[in-house]
């Protein structure tokens, strides 16, 4: 179990959050795909997490799955067909 991390409330807390991840030995990536936020992405065993820091709040998503490796391209094409749109 890791030490409890104080819940960030907005972009001003991002440095404390990153330091807490470092202290826990959790590697992360910073990303900016929106004009109004900075994202912190990291992976835990069996769980990928994306945390978006806005001026006045945070939002996060997490993704769990079986992490299987596939080599049948039909599966990839099915994922693209189902989940991607260029609209």
């Amino acid at each position: 179990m890791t030490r409890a991390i104080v819940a960030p409330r907005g972009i001003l807390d991002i440095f404390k959050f990153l330091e807490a991840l470092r202290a826990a030995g959790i590697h992360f990536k910073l990303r900016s795909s929106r004009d109004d936020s900075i994202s912190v992405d990291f992976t835990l065993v069996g769980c990928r997490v994306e945390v978006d820091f806005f001026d006045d709040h945070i939002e996060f998503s997490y993704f769990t799955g079986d992490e299987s490796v596939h080599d049948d391209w039909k599966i990839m094409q099915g994922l693209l067909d189902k989940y991607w749109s260029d609209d």
Side-chain angles (χ1 to χ4, degrees), residues 4-80:
I5 296 176
V6 175
R9 292 177 294 192
I11 194 71
L12 295 178
D13 294 330
I14 195 168
F15 290 112
K16 291 177 192 173
F17 181 73
L18 297 178
E19 183 54 37
L21 292 179
R22 283 188 192 100
I26 298 171
H27 299 279
F28 58 85
K29 292 182 182 179
L30 298 177
R31 175 174 53 85
S32 177
S33 57
R34 298 171 56 156
D35 292 339
D36 59 347
S37 70
I38 296 172
S39 300
V40 180
D41 300 339
F42 56 94
T43 302
L44 307 171
V45 176
C47 182
R48 185 171 53 85
V49 183
E50 299 176 355
V51 184
D52 295 314
F53 284 79
F54 296 86
D55 281 343
D56 60 351
H57 72 285
I58 66 151
E59 297 174 355
F60 67 91
S61 300
Y62 62 94
F63 309 91
T64 57
D66 64 10
E67 306 295 326
S68 296
V69 176
H70 302 279
D71 61 3
D72 182 352
W73 191 255
K74 290 177 187 173
I75 295 171
M76 173 60 75
Q77 190 60 54
L79 292 169
L80 294 168

Side-chain angles (χ1 to χ4, degrees), residues 1-5 23-24 26:
M1 178 176 249
T2 61
R3 283 185 161 162
I5 296 176
I26 298 171

